[in-house]
Amino acid sequence: MSTEQEHQITTTRSTVVNDFSITVATVNGSGSQTSNLTIMRALFKMGIPVSGKNLFPSNIQGLPTWYTIRVSELGFLARRDGHEIIVALNPSTFSKDQYDVIPDGVLFYDDSIKQPITRNDIHLYPMPIKQIVRESGAPSNLHDYIANMVYVGVVAQLLNIELEKIYQALDFHFKGKQKAIDMNWGVVIIAAEWARTNLIKTDPYHIEPSNKTDGYILADGNTAAALGSLYGGLQFAAWYPITPATSLAETLSEYIPIFRKDPQTGKNTCVVVQAEDELAAVGMAVGAGWSGLRAMTSTSGPGLSLMVEYIGLAYYSEVPLVIWDVQRVGPSTGLPTRTSQGDLKLAYFMGHGDSNTVLLLPGSVTECFEFGWKAFDIADRLQGPVIVLSDLDFGMNQWMTKLFEYPNEPMDRGKILWEEDLEKINGVWGRYLDVDGDGITYRTVPGNKHPAAAYFSRGTGHDDYAKYSEDPDTWEKNMLRLKRKLNTIRTKLPKPEIYWTMGAEIGIIAYGSTDPAIQEAINLLDKQGVKINYLRLRSLPGTNEVQEFIQKNHQNFVVELNRDGQLCLILRSEFPVEAPKIKSLAHLDGLPLTAKWLIEAILAQEAIKYD
Amino acid sequence: MINQPVDSARTQVNMAGLSKNDYRGNQSSLCQGCGHNSISSQIISACYELSVLPEKIMKFSGIGCSSKSPFYFLNRSFGFNGLHGRMPSLATGALFGDTSLRGLGVSGDGDTASIGMGQFKHIVRRNVPLVYIVENNGVYGLTKGQFSATADEGLNLKKQGINPYLPIDIAWEALVGHATFVARSFAGDPKQVKELIKAAMSHHGIAVLDIISPCVTFNNEDTTTHSYAWGKEHEVALHDLAYVPPAEEIMVDYEDGTFKEVTMHDGSTIVLKKLDRDYDPTNRIEAFRILEEANRECCLVTGLIYINQDTPTLVDLYNLPDEPLNRLSEARIRPGRETIDRLNSLMF
């Protein structure tokens, strides 16, 4: 600690308010998540736009993990590369963490880490964590759990985070359990008091209250997806545990007792089954969809691979079904705790033979909620599988999110015939008979008591009346109808969001969680005189708007998180005439996109063009 | 979906007012003499005699010869021919659509004991209310005669040579997995098959029927345990079994101590007349013993091996409304508009 004074830099640049990141470096399983969420929530309650990203290992206990909170008065909430403030609690990453702090940045650290401080251009705040925990009077068996509250108090004191907001965050986290709240709060208070009397603030970083979070909540994408599904009338979900999708299904079970009690009987109107594997999870969902329930499963890449055959059957036998794929990095087991958009190709071309699915591509946590309910309307109308592609970044991180909005359309259950409908047509109908000419046929569901209601579903060749058929013409006709059906649905899918910039000739096309980094990059590039149009895709197959956008730009960059530029490949094949104008900018390292990476990538491309 | 031709002549009808034709399916495309056809006939007879409405049954199957058979019975029932080895998951999800319907699944030994072993064990473990018939012939028929997982060790098949592996015993696997109804039968004993199907249809939970169903084309040599001849010669029935529907008086003429009655959830009764031995199908340890003994003594023991009616079914665990889930209106499955503020307040 005596070295502290020598290292402390004396000159400080002008203060930086509400525009920096705080990264907490810790050991996985040490319980720091509660502390990190507490800081983030307190900042949010102070009205400051904030995001939190957990960079964690595939491990329960012991490996290093980093949690980065970004505060941005302007509302730029993507991941960024620079670390203004690091809270170093992990001895094994201490030298790296120290190295990562930007010049004039801040290092809070556990003073029991006896390792050399090599930086003399940063602000140092050692924290006597063990001592403060001891002084808190908490039972010694709980010391490890509450030690992380020390940095909450110290950081809050030094940055000027309102302690009252910290209390609100703890109250929320511990769901009002007073004992837990009091114990954690006690440590925060003592730590803040210790910091007030023992540390002199030398760094330039300050938090000031703002008003930019009105009308917003903090939520993660998996929670939003689960709640959206419950508002979509989900009746049956089957799932198998897999990172990062697990919490989606768990959240369903958590909220069914609150939101899905039948108003007439008080009984549950939604079933969740944890299956023995993804093969069974999707099989159950297909069965439920076939029997007239709003059915879904949620998984990630390896699980989706296992589901391919049943999704193919759902496509061909025309069963409504929603699949949430919370993407992680593949191939194979890949990086289970890192984010990716690498399942697009698999999801879109799902299955052997000619098959395809409808993809919904939420670009925010709000849209995870919206597509949560919308997916069922589309699936029922389509009578086929709808895959919603989320990712780990959405699914497991907290995002500042517009308040969830009640569905603005009544449910669309699609073309279903019940007893009275069959009465009217004297029971004369064909399950796969295209009477409306739109490729979408009528279906009945089990329990329909009309003697002509039943039919036999199968994955084998069948005719208009669901009878087995190997007839070449019948096969061809049916397959062409399935394609026609997709074209009918295409126009009913969520349209892309397009942002035109005056004078821009370059376009970015992207989807999903890359949106904040892209918005930020466009803003920064604009200041450098580089104008960019932006199309955020919200569904596939693509619509006319996508084609027109591509045509209007000289050059289109498809920005996505994978190696091969999967969306780029799909767009090139869907719009072959425009293909030469479509270029891939794929980001591969498993981390969320940063504006910096994108700006450099675009400027490099533009440089090539002007060479 | 297409009305069956209605018999012009006044035919015999059951208590539901339906003729046997109302329970039939399409013409079978399986081989002449296939055990599966015989089982299909008994399904038709059993359902007809039970007077159950065909619309109150859902049919399921996987892939293989056996799995084609649901097309050959109960045309007025909904059916879904799913994926190989994955009928159980399909049925599990589908049964929640309308839990007043009875599930009837048909699988084979390949579909259940090879590719489908995982799903088989788990549907059993969950006690899904499904009649699960395994048409067990020890051989892959549709791909022309490969060994299945239940094929006899040492079985010699034309293109395959000699089977080096020990067979899987489906009834044993069901019992290990806590099945609540386990029976074994033989397609060559149609009366027993029919009575067991009726009993199974009344069971509250999973009912596994492992029925030896000879493949006349690929595995019917007299020496194989899946042949007609072997079955005829080695069948040892545990009891003479009769199903008595609810509210019908038991009119059997057995002396006291020579029969057992098992009362089912729906009020029906299974009357088991004692044959050579005194067998109690509610005793799980006895059930294991009898299967092991049959295995050792090379006989085909048939009948109701085990029944337990005290375990809740999967559906029982969910506290669902009586009305079928698939008929609930939007107002009952979408939370009201007023809930959205509460929802948002539950977030931070």
Side-chain angles (χ1 to χ4, degrees):
Chain A
M1 276 231 276
S2 60
T3 55
E4 182 195 340
Q5 294 308 317
E6 295 161 34
H7 285 170
Q8 205 134 47
I9 48 173
T10 47
T11 54
T12 285
R13 276 177 273 155
S14 58
T15 56
V16 180
V17 177
N18 294 357
D19 184 23
F20 51 87
S21 312
I22 308 165
T23 295
V24 178
T26 180
V27 179
N28 202 31
S30 64
S32 61
Q33 184 75 340
T34 308
S35 298
N36 302 332
L37 284 173
T38 299
I39 294 175
M40 182 181 172
R41 285 171 174 152
L43 291 164
F44 178 77
K45 270 286 179 272
M46 287 181 71
I48 308 159
V50 65
S51 69
K53 296 205 187 293
N54 192 12
L55 180 62
F56 63 109
S58 180
N59 160 265
I60 297 300
Q61 216 167 47
L63 292 179
T65 174
W66 291 269
Y67 191 90
T68 299
I69 296 164
R70 179 174 180 186
V71 285
S72 169
E73 184 73 25
L74 295 175
F76 292 126
L77 296 174
R79 185 175 77 88
R80 29 198 300 279
D81 295 311
H83 298 278
E84 285 82 4
I85 299 172
I86 288 186
V87 181
L89 303 171
N90 184 356
S92 70
T93 61
F94 187 74
S95 57
K96 177 194 172 339
D97 293 333
Q98 186 183 161
Y99 175 82
D100 283 346
V101 180
I102 65 161
D104 203 24
V106 182
L107 186 71
F108 292 91
Y109 64 99
D110 181 350
D111 73 354
S112 70
I113 299 174
K114 304 290 181 209
Q115 290 183 34
I117 306 277
T118 53
R119 294 284 298 272
N120 58 9
D121 58 342
I122 59 176
H123 305 268
L124 298 171
Y125 299 119
M127 303 176 290
I129 290 179
K130 288 208 173 83
Q131 176 202 324
I132 292 174
V133 169
R134 254 195 323 271
E135 284 168 10
S136 78
S140 57
N141 60 331
L142 296 174
H143 280 187
D144 288 348
Y145 293 100
I146 56 168
N148 287 308
M149 283 295 146
V150 171
Y151 71 75
V152 176
V154 174
V155 169
Q157 177 64 33
L158 268 280
L159 295 181
N160 214 12
I161 301 172
E162 293 168 14
L163 290 181
E164 176 217 336
K165 302 292 193 290
I166 300 265
Y167 186 88
Q168 285 178 26
L170 288 173
D171 184 43
F172 177 82
H173 187 86
F174 292 107
K175 300 186 164 80
K177 280 179 219 130
Q178 205 55 46
K179 215 173 148 190
I181 299 166
D182 288 346
M183 192 170 65
N184 285 276
W185 174 241
V187 177
V188 171
I189 290 291
I190 293 176
E193 181 55 27
W194 175 88
R196 197 178 65 79
T197 46
N198 292 284
L199 295 177
I200 299 160
K201 184 170 174 74
T202 55
D203 70 87
Y205 299 102
H206 290 270
I207 290 296
E208 281 176 15
S210 185
N211 58 356
K212 304 280 187 340
T213 61
D214 293 347
Y216 288 85
I217 49 176
L218 281 181
D220 65 79
N222 283 351
T223 298
L227 292 168
S229 303
L230 292 178
Y231 273 72
L234 169 72
Q235 293 165 297
F236 183 93
W239 67 292
Y240 185 73
I242 185 169
T243 304
T246 302
S247 64
L248 201 165
E250 287 175 341
T251 306
L252 291 173
S253 299
E254 186 184 340
Y255 285 95
I256 285 170
I258 305 175
F259 291 109
R260 288 298 301 278
K261 292 268 185 213
D262 179 13
Q264 291 186 19
T265 61
K267 305 270 181 108
N268 294 333
T269 61
C270 186
V271 171
V272 178
V273 179
Q274 184 186 324
E276 59 268 34
D277 52 34
E278 288 91 345
L279 300 168
V282 71
M284 290 177 193
V286 170
W290 171 79
S291 77
L293 301 183
R294 296 205 133 179
M296 73 181 270
T297 181
S298 47
T299 188
S300 190
L304 191 67
S305 294
L306 286 174
M307 293 180 180
V308 171
E309 196 180 358
Y310 246 123
I311 297 174
L313 175 62
Y315 171 77
Y316 184 62
S317 61
E318 304 185 51
V319 175
L321 170 70
V322 173
I323 304 113
W324 275 81
D325 175 16
V326 187
Q327 298 170 93
R328 66 189 218 187
V329 178
S332 189
T333 310
L335 297 172
T337 60
R338 299 294 151 81
T339 201
S340 166
Q341 296 177 327
D343 294 348
L344 186 76
K345 187 171 50 124
L346 170 66
Y348 194 46
F349 298 111
M350 183 64 56
H352 58 272
D354 292 307
S355 66
N356 33 38
T357 52
V358 163
L359 300 188
L360 296 183
L361 309 169
S364 66
V365 169
T366 307
E367 270 183 2
C368 286
F369 180 82
E370 183 189 334
F371 291 0
W373 59 264
K374 210 166 253 178
F376 292 107
D377 291 341
I378 294 167
D380 270 348
R381 179 55 51 185
L382 172 73
Q383 295 180 24
V386 172
I387 302 181
V388 193
L389 286 182
S390 177
D391 64 17
L392 180 141
D393 193 9
F394 275 149
M396 293 184 72
N397 285 321
Q398 295 286 318
W399 293 64
M400 188 171 129
T401 299
K402 275 190 206 133
L403 288 170
F404 296 141
E405 277 180 35
Y406 195 75
N408 58 2
E409 295 159 23
M411 276 185 192
D412 179 3
R413 296 307 312 261
K415 298 183 184 178
I416 296 192
L417 300 173
W418 284 102
E419 287 88 345
E420 57 277 19
D421 307 309
L422 288 168
E423 278 310 322
K424 280 183 216 148
I425 52 175
N426 296 319
V428 180
W429 73 293
R431 169 68 185 94
Y432 300 113
L433 188 64
D434 187 7
V435 288
D436 299 332
D438 58 1
I440 303 173
T441 62
Y442 287 81
R443 68 179 185 129
T444 52
V445 299
N448 187 321
K449 296 183 195 76
H450 194 285
Y455 70 98
F456 193 73
S457 294
R458 52 169 89 244
T460 41
H462 45 251
D463 64 14
D464 289 350
Y465 296 89
K467 297 278 184 251
Y468 182 73
S469 170
E470 297 175 358
D471 176 61
D473 292 338
T474 303
W475 177 266
E476 187 171 341
K477 195 178 132 210
N478 193 37
M479 287 301 288
L480 292 175
R481 178 183 61 76
L482 287 173
K483 190 155 189 175
R484 204 157 64 240
K485 180 167 89 159
L486 195 70
N487 279 327
T488 300
I489 279 295
R490 194 189 280 254
T491 58
K492 297 178 169 33
L493 299 178
K495 296 206 184 312
E497 275 196 358
I498 303 178
Y499 306 87
W500 297 106
T501 301
M502 190 82 87
E505 294 181 335
I506 307 168
I508 286 179
I509 301 173
Y511 78 94
S513 66
T514 54
D515 182 60
I518 292 169
Q519 299 267 15
E520 186 177 359
I522 289 172
N523 188 283
L524 293 170
L525 281 167
D526 188 65
K527 289 178 183 149
Q528 299 180 34
V530 181
K531 309 282 179 200
I532 290 175
N533 297 317
Y534 173 32
L535 179 143
R536 184 168 68 79
L537 203 61
R538 302 201 303 157
S539 61
L540 275 174
T543 50
N544 294 339
E545 290 86 352
V546 182
Q547 190 173 19
E548 284 161 18
F549 180 86
I550 296 168
Q551 285 167 348
K552 281 186 182 157
N553 293 307
H554 274 309
Q555 181 78 277
N556 296 276
F557 296 114
V558 182
V559 178
E560 56 190 308
L561 305 179
N562 54 52
R563 184 188 68 185
D564 294 339
Q566 298 181 10
L567 178 59
C568 181
L569 294 172
I570 289 169
L571 292 175
R572 279 180 187 161
S573 71
E574 294 221 344
F575 308 114
V577 176
E578 290 80 14
K581 296 171 78 172
I582 308 174
K583 218 169 169 112
S584 174
L585 284 184
H587 178 261
L588 181 62
D589 65 6
L591 300 175
L593 190 69
T594 62
K596 181 166 174 272
W597 183 91
L598 185 55
I599 289 167
E600 284 167 6
I602 285 177
L603 292 178
Q605 291 291 331
E606 287 302 286
I608 293 166
K609 203 176 80 182
Y610 296 125
D611 270 350
Chain B
M1 172 167 2
I2 300 166
N3 284 314
Q4 288 290 301
V6 179
D7 290 355
S8 51
R10 258 247 173 289
T11 45
Q12 214 181 340
V13 294
N14 62 12
M15 276 157 62
L18 299 177
S19 77
K20 209 160 182 184
N21 265 343
D22 294 312
Y23 294 86
R24 291 191 203 281
N26 290 58
Q27 180 68 39
S28 170
S29 67
L30 299 172
C31 304
Q32 284 276 333
C34 175
H36 304 356
N37 287 335
S38 156
I39 295 169
S40 292
S41 299
Q42 297 318 313
I43 291 172
I44 292 166
S45 295
C47 293
Y48 169 74
E49 289 173 21
L50 286 170
S51 296
V52 55
L53 287 173
E55 288 77 20
K56 296 303 261 184
I57 298 173
M58 285 189 226
K59 305 177 289 183
F60 303 99
S61 61
I63 293 291
C65 290
S66 61
S67 296
K68 287 174 150 219
S69 68
F71 196 48
Y72 312 139
F73 56 81
L74 297 177
N75 255 357
R76 279 174 51 176
S77 302
F78 278 83
F80 203 149
N81 177 200
L83 294 185
H84 200 17
R86 281 159 281 174
M87 176 269 276
S89 59
L90 189 71
T92 301
L95 287 165
F96 279 98
D98 183 341
T99 56
S100 71
L101 270 63
R102 192 75 179 104
L104 175 59
V106 178
S107 178
D109 39 307
D111 197 58
T112 287
S114 289
I115 186 168
M117 186 58 110
Q119 297 213 346
F120 171 63
K121 297 290 276 197
H122 284 275
I123 196 170
V124 162
R125 180 173 76 100
R126 293 192 181 97
N127 202 25
V128 172
L130 178 77
V131 177
Y132 189 127
I133 296 173
V134 185
E135 298 180 341
N136 185 351
N137 59 17
V139 74
Y140 287 84
L142 268 184
T143 51
K144 304 200 175 201
Q146 296 77 30
F147 301 120
S148 89
T150 64
D152 299 336
E153 185 192 14
L155 176 66
N156 193 348
L157 290 180
K158 225 187 266 171
K159 286 188 190 159
Q160 310 299 317
I162 291 169
N163 179 28
Y165 307 119
L166 286 165
I168 283 171
D169 182 329
I170 289 169
W172 179 272
E173 294 296 338
L175 203 55
V176 169
H178 300 283
T180 52
F181 183 115
V182 182
R184 174 166 283 158
S185 194
F186 172 48
D189 184 354
K191 181 176 168 293
Q192 191 198 50
V193 168
K194 185 175 74 180
E195 294 304 299
L196 278 171
I197 291 169
K198 288 196 228 168
M201 296 281 286
S202 293
H203 178 62
H204 189 64
I206 187 89
V208 178
L209 277 70
D210 177 18
I211 305 178
I212 302 302
S213 176
C215 172
V216 291
T217 306
F218 296 109
N219 191 20
N220 197 29
E221 292 290 323
D222 292 357
T223 50
T224 148
T225 63
H226 293 91
S227 69
Y228 276 117
W230 199 90
K232 290 266 184 228
E233 200 154 308
H234 295 85
E235 181 182 3
V236 178
L238 286 171
H239 30 235
D240 202 359
L241 185 138
Y243 172 86
V244 183
E248 204 166 292
E249 214 176 320
I250 299 168
M251 303 277 282
V252 280
D253 230 356
Y254 304 141
E255 279 173 42
D256 278 358
T258 64
F259 68 98
K260 274 191 195 325
E261 285 175 25
V262 181
T263 308
M264 309 293 284
H265 259 265
D266 62 0
S268 59
T269 313
I270 307 172
V271 181
L272 305 165
K273 189 194 167 211
K274 194 160 102 176
L275 295 173
D276 301 336
R277 67 182 84 216
D278 199 5
Y279 183 73
D280 175 11
T282 62
N283 183 333
R284 191 154 174 258
I285 292 173
E286 273 300 289
F288 281 118
R289 201 183 54 76
I290 203 79
L291 286 175
E292 184 58 23
E293 212 174 271
N295 192 23
R296 215 175 306 147
E297 291 169 12
C298 286
C299 65
L300 174 60
V301 65
T302 64
L304 179 60
I305 291 166
Y306 181 67
I307 185 164
N308 154 18
Q309 300 186 87
D310 302 328
T311 311
T313 71
L314 178 70
V315 172
D316 294 336
L317 305 178
Y318 284 93
N319 188 30
L320 300 172
D322 291 335
E323 201 178 337
L325 277 184
N326 69 8
R327 287 180 190 260
L328 296 184
S329 62
E330 173 171 350
R332 294 172 72 181
I333 58 173
R334 169 169 284 171
R337 188 173 286 277
E338 72 286 354
T339 60
I340 197 78
D341 291 339
R342 172 150 188 238
L343 172 69
N344 281 311
S345 76
L346 289 171
M347 305 293 111
F348 192 78

